[in-house]
Structures are given as structure tokens and as C-alpha cells.
Amino acid sequence: MHPQQPPALAPDSSSRHPSRTRHMVLCLVAGLVLGIAGTGAAWALRSDAIDAAGTPAADARAACAALKGFDPAKYTEEGTAGEVAVNRYAAAGALSASAAAGDATYKELARTIRRSQDRHAQVFEFDARVKKDLNRAREICRGL
């Protein structure tokens, strides 16, 4: 009987071509670095957009946009038109208050909208005084 020889293993490709292995590692590292850089850039751009949206000026603009889309005639309507009107009026008040809390520049806007809302809560209608304050708030918005 002859002793069996262990099967011959194929030589490792990395030992035959060390430059190929080095090239693959460098490509993987470069891909990783570029991926991290791209993710970091996207995160930074996104956080800038979030920060810009959370400013008092942005809140004031949003309050004015809600007020612009608010139609007092639809406030008491049934269904979605009424819901939209109620929520836009409430949003204008909340957003203007937020803007004023962050920057005194927007206090007049917030006071004017709040005054219209307080008067509306007293008389349950959009009378001349409520409309006067709403018109004044819209004038302030045009000036922003």
C-alpha cells in the first residue's frame, strides 16, 4: 500500500498577485469614504432645510399662508370646506404666536390674529371688528 498524498491546494491568488489585493482593498476603502461623504453631505443639506423651516420667519410665513387660504364664509360649513377653514384660522393663530415668541418683529401679527380670534369667540361670527383685524393681519403679511 502506498501512503496517500494530501490533495494539492491551488495557490492563493493573493499570494500570486499582491498588487491585485491591494487594488481591491483601495477600491473598497475609496467606496466607503465616498459613501460616507455622500451621506454626510445629504444629512447636512437636510438639517439646513429643517433649521430654515423652524425659524420665526418661517412660522410667520406659514401663518400668513394659512391666513391667505382662510375664507371666513366657509367657517361654519359642514364637511371638508368647514374643517379646512377652522384649521387654517387656528393654524394662523398658533404659527403667528410661535413666530412672535421667537422674534418680537412678529408680535403685531400675532396680536392682530389673536384679537380677531378672541372677538370671534365672543360673538360667534365674523362681524366688522373681526374682519377689520383679519384685514389688518393680511396687510401685515403683505409687508413681510
Side-chain angles (χ1 to χ4, degrees):
M1 247 202 304
H2 296 295
Q4 288 188 337
Q5 299 245 344
L9 296 174
D12 185 14
S13 64
S14 64
S15 64
R16 287 188 299 182
H17 302 287
S19 64
R20 179 183 290 173
T21 302
R22 190 176 0 203
H23 178 72
M24 288 178 62
V25 168
L26 288 174
C27 285
L28 288 172
V29 169
L32 183 63
V33 168
L34 288 174
I36 290 171
T39 302
W43 178 77
L45 290 173
R46 183 175 180 276
S47 68
D48 285 347
I50 290 170
D51 291 342
T55 64
D59 287 344
R61 284 190 301 273
C64 290
L67 198 58
K68 184 177 182 179
F70 170 63
D71 182 358
K74 294 183 180 178
Y75 191 84
T76 56
E77 282 187 21
E78 295 289 325
T80 58
E83 288 180 38
V84 168
V86 167
N87 286 307
R88 284 187 177 158
Y89 194 36
L95 288 163
S96 65
S98 177
D103 186 339
T105 304
Y106 306 109
K107 284 191 187 237
E108 184 182 1
L109 175 64
R111 275 194 299 260
T112 305
I113 294 172
R114 185 80 212 152
R115 195 170 44 241
S116 78
Q117 290 174 330
D118 289 345
R119 173 69 182 168
H120 180 265
Q122 292 171 357
V123 298
F124 300 106
E125 65 177 304
F126 289 92
D127 67 2
R129 285 178 48 197
V130 175
K131 288 179 181 178
K132 179 182 173 188
D133 285 330
L134 284 174
N135 290 335
R136 176 65 188 132
R138 289 181 171 127
E139 286 175 27
I140 294 168
C141 285
R142 283 190 289 274
L144 295 180

